[in-house]
Amino acid sequence: MTRSVGIVGGGHTRWGDREATYKDLIQEAGKATFDDVSGVGPGDIEGLFVGSVQPERFAFQTHVAPMVAELLGVAPDSMIARTELACASGQAALRYAWLAIAAGQLDTALVLGVEKMNLPDEHAAEAQSGMTNVMDREFDGVNGLNAPPYFAMVAQRHMHEYGTTREQLAQVSAKNKSHAAHNEFAQFQEEVSVDDVIDSFPLSPPLCLYDCSGITDGAAGLILMSEEKAREVTDEAAWITGSGQACFASNSVNNLPSMSAWPQATTAAEQAYDQAGIDDPVAELDVAEVHDCFSISEIVEYEDLGWVEKGEGGQFVEDGRSALDGDIAVNPRGGLLGCGHPLGATGVSQALEIYNQFRGDVPAERRVPDPETGLIHNLSGSASVHSVMTMARGRP
Amino acid sequence: MSDDRDAVELPDTIELPRLLDFYELQTAEHTGIHEFYERLHEGRLSTTRCSDCGDVQFPPRIVCPECHCDDLEYVDLPREGELFAFSMLRAGAPLGMEDEVPFVTGIVEVGDVRLSARIDGAEYDDLAIGDPVELKVVEIDGPADHERVFYRFEPR
Ligand SMILES: [Zn+2]
């Protein structure tokens, strides 16, 4: 194995509460993706990987990968699949596409992530039902444990054990939402202050509304190619240098290793760093898109991705080390907090952001200075699974 | 517009299948862990323990995840526990829970088991990590052909 695989382009829909169907979103993202990569058309796609979590619930549709193929005129003759890994479904699709190309099964793949989550207002509770069965429905969902109260308890435990402050949580949200203010695809394009976060609706204390990502409609796509093929169509790529994942035989509360630490993230990151030859991630990573489904998540991730000692994540943001000009620019796209979180599309959009940062194709207000290396990270469900991928800027 | 078009009649509301109410069907004809629910009917919170390797699980199982033995026995958990973490659901409730918000939900340690549970009889601001809590069993009225129950906790 181990052929080099590169992201050679991608595209995005506008994200938000969209007046668009699931199928509309697929077509918008597909068009944007193929428009971005001259020299690659639908007829070149040998593998199709679709990240989507709950089309059965939100769009009343299953078997969605062939629907994507039909809508975009793609005829994959090697592999076609949908991935479902809750909030990390987009990254899972990307990981499988990478593996298939690296293993020599195919040379050109389309990765498309899509989620239609906003139902008409009177059906909001039905959408929430879809978000409350991500942990064990019988023993956790039944207690109202959807994401906000669950991650609120992670915040509560992290504050209790390590002294993380309410202000530090808000600093994450203010940073990421302020990046999203300069992202034309983002759901929330407004500058937000630390005080705005703390004063927002106390949805699931200690977390407030602005500590939470959104309920979002959106899609994004990527074209992946083997190094040989990539050379034919582009002089700028994001090479995938490492990819790791871990789950510790757990999904429901009793079986998680911790409520304030995610050692699965450490395992996944170590795999990716090892493959990429990264010894000192803080020194060697320039830009990262990490899973800030809630403000607390990003703080735990600074720690468990191996950037700071356990308990020092709050200080990392407070000291500006995750700012655009900090040690690692974290979530310049705007994160899930600013862009929203159309579950299956998030990981795809994160990877596209790393590629766009490499090629300088982002507004100056949120551009990372000359990045050469990047990382994406997603957790899923009760943070029981963590997925990490590293990338390097390349010119094939 | 034509007056002679056939009309397709849909009901104004479509009744939800029972799976959307979050509570599992609890009798022997529906679930392999019916003994857990039978004990809960009697007011006892229990779980499974592997008769081979001794592993105690929660949630209860029919196969031990450690050794894959399928000879599991039910053991009672303590009625009293400690509050490990808690928050609230103030909005964004799923189907069937919209009328219950706001409510406190949390994580309780009972013996060697850590489980999530609704916390009744307390406001969020009155609770603290480490508070003693006690089991209560509630009856679930809803679309099932048998009486269902579930566990919650309340301050002791
Ligand atoms: Zn056993």
Side-chain angles (χ1 to χ4, degrees), chain A residues 67-82:
Chain A
M67 172 173 277
V68 171
E70 176 179 283
L71 290 169
L72 303 183
V74 166
D77 53 7
S78 180
M79 286 187 73
I80 176 167
R82 162 189 166 197

Side-chain angles (χ1 to χ4, degrees), chain B residues 6 17 36 46 77 88 91-92 115 119 128 130 134 140:
Chain B
D6 290 343
F36 169 81
S46 63
L77 291 169
M88 288 183 78
L115 46 75
I119 309 297
E134 184 171 21
I140 309 303

Side-chain angles (χ1 to χ4, degrees), chain A residues 114-367:
Chain A
V114 55
E115 212 76 48
K116 171 71 187 178
M117 299 178 71
N118 285 283
L119 303 180
D121 282 347
E122 65 272 27
H123 296 293
E126 173 148 9
Q128 291 294 344
S129 285
M131 301 299 291
T132 313
N133 59 15
V134 172
M135 297 174 66
D136 187 328
R137 175 187 54 76
E138 185 179 10
F139 288 97
D140 295 323
V142 69
N143 302 314
L145 263 199
N146 53 20
Y150 180 75
F151 285 89
M153 290 194 283
V154 174
Q156 183 189 45
R157 290 299 312 185
H158 204 273
M159 295 164 97
H160 179 74
E161 293 173 33
Y162 301 113
T164 301
T165 67
R166 186 44 272 197
E167 285 70 24
Q168 288 168 339
L169 298 175
Q171 286 162 6
V172 171
S173 296
K175 168 177 74 69
N176 295 353
K177 283 177 176 284
S178 296
H179 296 160
H182 304 286
N183 184 340
E184 61 177 339
F185 298 118
Q187 182 169 16
F188 308 109
Q189 296 179 27
E190 239 174 68
E191 296 273 353
V192 163
S193 72
V194 167
D195 285 343
D196 290 337
V197 179
I198 294 172
D199 293 340
S200 63
F201 178 66
L203 179 66
S204 284
L207 298 181
C208 302
L209 184 63
Y210 285 2
D211 290 292
C212 310
S213 55
I215 300 288
T216 312
D217 310 329
L222 294 168
I223 304 286
L224 266 66
M225 290 185 132
S226 63
E227 184 171 13
E228 308 87 84
K229 276 282 179 189
R231 277 203 195 92
E232 297 173 11
V233 300
T234 185
D235 55 7
E236 183 82 68
W239 298 115
I240 295 169
T241 54
S243 179
Q245 258 186 340
C247 169
F248 292 177
S250 54
N251 187 44
S252 63
V253 162
N254 183 53
N255 300 300
L256 295 169
S258 170
M259 279 296 292
S260 56
W262 295 329
Q264 309 96 324
T266 308
T267 301
E270 283 172 352
Q271 290 171 28
Y273 297 158
D274 188 48
Q275 292 164 23
I278 292 171
D279 296 319
D280 180 352
V282 174
E284 296 177 54
L285 289 172
D286 299 324
V287 54
E289 287 282 317
V290 304
H291 196 93
D292 58 329
C293 49
F294 297 88
S295 53
I296 180 61
S297 308
E298 185 169 314
I299 286 176
V300 179
E301 286 151 14
Y302 299 150
E303 300 167 357
D304 294 327
L305 292 171
W307 302 350
V308 288
E309 292 296 314
K310 196 65 207 165
E312 293 177 8
Q315 199 63 43
F316 193 77
V317 66
E318 186 174 328
D319 292 344
R321 297 179 66 191
S322 54
L324 284 181
D325 59 354
D327 292 352
I328 303 177
V330 180
N331 287 328
R333 187 181 62 113
L336 286 59
L337 289 166
C339 294
H341 182 26
L343 312 170
T346 285
V348 178
S349 173
Q350 289 173 319
L352 179 58
E353 172 70 13
I354 300 292
Y355 178 62
N356 286 339
Q357 289 285 352
F358 286 169
R359 62 178 166 174
D361 188 18
V362 286
E365 294 88 345
R366 58 181 191 85
R367 189 179 306 156

Side-chain angles (χ1 to χ4, degrees), chain B residues 50-55 57 64-69 72:
Chain B
C50 178
S51 61
D52 193 8
C53 78
D55 181 61
Q57 300 93 29
C64 171
E66 294 297 323
C67 73
H68 292 185
C69 169
L72 306 185

